[in-house]
Amino acid sequence: MPARGLKGKNFISLADFSRDELLFVLERARWMKRDFKAGRLESALGGKCVALIFMKPSTRTRVSFEAGVFYLGGHPLVLGGSEMQVQRGESWADTGRVLGRYVDGIVIRTFAQCDVFDLAEAASKPVINGLTDEEHPCQIVSDLLTIQEKKGTLRGVKLCYVGDGNNVANSLLLGCALAGVDIRYACPAGHEPDPVILAKALELAEGTQVKGFADAAEAVAGADVIYTDVWTSMGQDEDGAKMEEFGAFQVNFGLVSKAAADAIVMHCLPAHRGEEIAADVMDGPRSAVWDQAENRLFGQMAIMALTF
Ligand code: CP
Ligand code: NVA
């Protein structure tokens, strides 16, 4: 049974999950949203303590996890990077060994994904990846929930990712391949998604399309969902030259007009209007970004309830 199988499991990469497990998480997220709105949410984390470690800034992830732990009856402990001894050289493994003795689960946002694996291996408690340079799996659970709500299904939906082939793009490749969402991507040369993750997505796809394009207009033709993210992710240096390099990959009215007539536009946020997304698209009728942000709460409550 997927439910029993997820208890105690880390949620670090979608590559570690089966299609059934991912669909099970999404189903739980849908129930939790329904129950939350009806004011009858179960106390799935009653009496549990959850450490939330943030080595990079966050608005959505931090607040939705902290609020989510509270709504599920648990106690969140938010730890900023500067408050922890890792800043002074303590290893992630030693940090994990200790935290595992105090808390029931750990959420971490940091730079290298190998640090998350070190933490998880040493802690005897489940660890959730709240974003690394490589992946952002919690974001994609909430995004798939949003697509399901807006399109009524996942299988056969056509999503096109336009922009930087970053952590969000990597996790989208894995999540869409698993969920049966056809995924196309258009990224400037040299900024494509991680080739190892792409290979894994192709392996998981089982008939679902996973395909890269050099031209954004060609990639979005007929898409049901257009997705974009910032051109410069946290931890990367700002590079003025990127504006020119990425110019043809802006999600603007012209690009959206090539997609299906009822296509929605998604962005994990924070957004830079006028860079990866035009303001009139971000704030226009096709934009699903606020519902997408709201769903972070339900996707993550489901992940915590099933793994912690
Ligand atoms: N989308 C997302 O993870 O947002 P934050 O960086 O604000 O957490
Ligand atoms: N790719 C972005 C996502 C932010 C939620 C970053 O890593 O900064």
Side-chain angles (χ1 to χ4, degrees), residues 157-171:
V157 169
K158 294 181 180 58
L159 180 146
C160 180
Y161 179 88
V162 182
D164 187 30
N166 57 20
N167 42 12
V168 169
N170 289 336
S171 288

Side-chain angles (χ1 to χ4, degrees), residues 129-186:
N129 178 359
L131 180 146
T132 61
D133 292 344
E134 287 93 337
E135 291 187 60
H136 196 3
C138 295
Q139 176 72 50
I140 275 52
V141 167
S142 309
D143 297 342
L144 291 171
L145 177 65
T146 310
I147 294 170
Q148 217 167 26
E149 289 173 350
K150 303 277 178 199
K151 298 290 166 192
T153 182
L154 288 173
R155 189 160 278 287
V157 169
K158 294 181 180 58
L159 180 146
C160 180
Y161 179 88
V162 182
D164 187 30
N166 57 20
N167 42 12
V168 169
N170 289 336
S171 288
L172 259 181
L173 282 170
L174 294 169
C176 288
L178 274 174
V181 172
D182 286 339
I183 177 162
R184 298 167 161 213
Y185 59 91

Side-chain angles (χ1 to χ4, degrees), residues 50-220:
V50 179
L52 307 169
I53 303 171
F54 285 87
M55 308 301 289
K56 289 178 176 175
S58 171
T59 297
R60 281 143 289 270
T61 309
R62 190 212 137 149
V63 176
S64 55
F65 264 113
E66 187 170 354
V69 172
F70 170 79
Y71 292 138
L72 292 174
H75 181 77
L77 288 163
V78 181
L79 301 161
S82 59
E83 299 164 77
M84 298 182 68
Q85 295 287 10
V86 279
Q87 284 301 76
R88 298 179 56 249
E90 187 170 27
S91 71
W92 282 110
D94 285 355
T95 304
R97 274 181 202 105
V98 173
L99 290 184
R101 291 173 182 236
Y102 300 146
V103 301
D104 299 288
I106 302 170
V107 176
I108 178 168
R109 166 170 289 194
T110 191
F111 297 86
Q113 194 145 305
C114 57
D115 290 342
V116 181
F117 286 119
D118 284 352
L119 176 81
E121 203 179 323
S124 47
K125 304 292 164 51
V127 171
I128 296 175
N129 178 359
L131 180 146
T132 61
D133 292 344
E134 287 93 337
E135 291 187 60
H136 196 3
C138 295
Q139 176 72 50
I140 275 52
V141 167
S142 309
D143 297 342
L144 291 171
L145 177 65
T146 310
I147 294 170
Q148 217 167 26
E149 289 173 350
K150 303 277 178 199
K151 298 290 166 192
T153 182
L154 288 173
R155 189 160 278 287
V157 169
K158 294 181 180 58
L159 180 146
C160 180
Y161 179 88
V162 182
D164 187 30
N166 57 20
N167 42 12
V168 169
N170 289 336
S171 288
L172 259 181
L173 282 170
L174 294 169
C176 288
L178 274 174
V181 172
D182 286 339
I183 177 162
R184 298 167 161 213
Y185 59 91
C187 308
H191 299 279
E192 294 92 353
D194 184 314
V196 176
I197 294 181
L198 175 61
K200 184 70 190 172
L202 286 163
E203 184 190 315
L204 294 170
E206 289 181 2
T208 297
Q209 188 186 51
V210 179
K211 192 169 175 196
F213 290 75
D215 182 64
E218 197 188 333
V220 301

